């Protein structure tokens, strides 16, 4: 592929690609990549790719735009890291946003230093929407947000699990029993209370992590 594209053969990259025919993780960070062209065939032939790390390379906007368009055919992809590449053009950013909107499974995305700050908030918002769409419904998310906002009095994201359990014990939650179509309110099984409490804590902790790393 390198010879066909007219670029020098990178022995380090070739060594990393000496894996089984089906690759689920492509880790080529800090590999001195200047173009994505030699990797297009590898990516296209591995539709089960779940994670790609191309951070700290020298991929230009054209390469990034091509990459995002190729990745539209990879529905299992949920991790993408392109941080530390040259500043992307608006066309490349638009292609990335299109990818995020089309593949809602893609929720762990890093683009620090590659995407201009002007677009940062918009992309981060879409990444967060993808994350929440995989973890819980919109209704449950807003309910959990309410619980966290009421219990996190210091604003540092630290909440005791028992406080969450107690909160869900006294607040009315909707519970659907197996085989019963009508949604019932009132007494909630302790297992559901524990489950939602864990969800709330995980959601808040993930938000704090994403705010510092995306």
């Amino acid at each position: 592929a390198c010879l066909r594209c007219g670029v020098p053969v990178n022995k380090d990259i070739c060594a990393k690609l000496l894996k089984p025919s089906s690759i689920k993780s492509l880790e080529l960070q800090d590999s001195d990549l200047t173009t994505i062209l030699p990797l297009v065939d590898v990516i296209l032939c591995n539709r089960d790719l779940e994670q790609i790390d191309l951070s700290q390379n020298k991929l230009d906007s054209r390469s990034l735009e091509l990459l995002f368009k190729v990745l539209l055919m990879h529905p299992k992809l949920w991790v993408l890291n392109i941080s530390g590449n040259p500043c992307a053009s608006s066309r490349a950013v638009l292609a990335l946003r299109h990818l995020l909107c089309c593949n809602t499974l893609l929720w762990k995305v890093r683009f620090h230093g590659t995407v201009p700050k002007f677009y940062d908030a918009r992309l981060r918002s879409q990444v967060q929407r993808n994350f929440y769409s995989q973890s819980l419904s919109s209704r449950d998310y807003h309910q959990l947000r309410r619980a966290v906002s009421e219990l996190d009095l210091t604003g540092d994201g630290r909440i005791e699990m028992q406080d969450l359990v107690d909160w869900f014990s006294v607040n009315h939650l909707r519970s659907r029993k197996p085989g019963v179509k009508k949604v019932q309110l009132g007494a909630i099984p302790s297992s559901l209370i524990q489950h939602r409490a864990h969800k709330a804590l995980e959601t808040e902790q993930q938000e704090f992590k994403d705010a510092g790393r995306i």
Side-chain angles (χ1 to χ4, degrees):
C2 291
L3 296 176
R4 186 175 70 250
C5 296
V7 296
V9 176
N10 189 315
K11 295 183 180 180
D12 293 334
I13 294 179
C14 291
K16 292 180 180 179
L17 295 178
L18 290 178
K19 296 180 179 181
S21 57
S22 180
I23 301 175
K24 291 189 176 181
S25 179
L26 187 61
E27 300 181 5
L28 296 174
Q29 64 272 24
D30 198 17
S31 298
D32 203 31
L33 279 170
T34 58
T35 177
I36 201 68
L37 291 177
L39 297 176
V40 171
D41 288 345
V42 175
I43 296 174
L44 285 174
C45 292
N46 290 274
R47 299 296 176 87
D48 291 331
L49 269 171
E50 297 179 1
Q51 304 181 44
I52 296 179
D53 189 346
L54 296 173
S55 60
Q56 307 304 320
N57 281 292
K58 302 174 183 178
L59 297 174
D60 59 18
S61 291
R62 290 184 178 181
S63 286
L64 292 174
E65 184 180 356
L66 175 60
L67 171 67
F68 302 146
K69 291 181 177 180
V70 171
L71 292 181
L72 287 170
M73 295 178 280
H74 293 72
K76 296 182 180 180
L77 185 70
W78 65 280
V79 177
L80 176 63
N81 190 348
I82 57 168
S83 298
N85 282 280
C87 189
S89 66
S90 58
R91 286 176 58 91
V93 173
L94 184 61
L96 174 55
R97 189 173 188 280
H98 182 61
L99 172 63
L100 292 173
C101 292
C102 290
N103 181 7
T104 56
L105 184 63
L106 186 54
W107 63 267
K108 192 171 184 180
V109 184
R110 304 287 178 258
F111 42 75
H112 180 72
T114 302
V115 170
K117 291 184 179 180
F118 177 79
Y119 302 104
D120 186 85
R122 298 181 188 179
L123 293 181
R124 184 186 305 168
S125 177
Q126 184 61 49
V127 171
Q128 290 179 340
R129 278 196 291 269
N130 288 1
F131 167 73
Y132 294 128
S133 72
Q134 298 302 317
S135 54
L136 67 164
S137 68
S138 176
R139 181 178 65 85
D140 284 343
Y141 165 64
H142 288 294
Q143 190 172 32
L144 294 175
R145 286 284 295 178
R146 178 188 160 210
V148 171
S149 64
E150 291 183 12
L151 296 174
D152 185 15
L153 301 179
T154 60
D156 61 0
R158 297 180 181 179
I159 302 173
E160 295 295 332
M161 179 60 69
Q162 189 57 47
D163 290 340
L164 284 171
V165 173
D166 293 341
W167 191 93
F168 285 121
S169 298
V170 298
N171 284 272
H172 290 290
L173 301 179
R174 286 186 169 84
S175 175
R176 186 187 295 276
K177 293 183 179 180
V180 180
K181 292 184 178 180
K182 184 178 180 181
V183 175
Q184 299 180 341
L185 299 179
I188 305 301
S190 59
S191 59
L192 179 60
I193 294 174
Q194 290 282 354
H195 172 72
R196 294 206 173 198
H198 278 286
K199 277 289 187 182
L201 195 59
E202 290 174 1
T203 300
E204 188 68 8
Q205 290 175 343
Q206 186 63 42
E207 277 196 337
F208 270 80
K209 290 180 180 179
D210 288 344
R213 294 188 297 178
I214 294 180

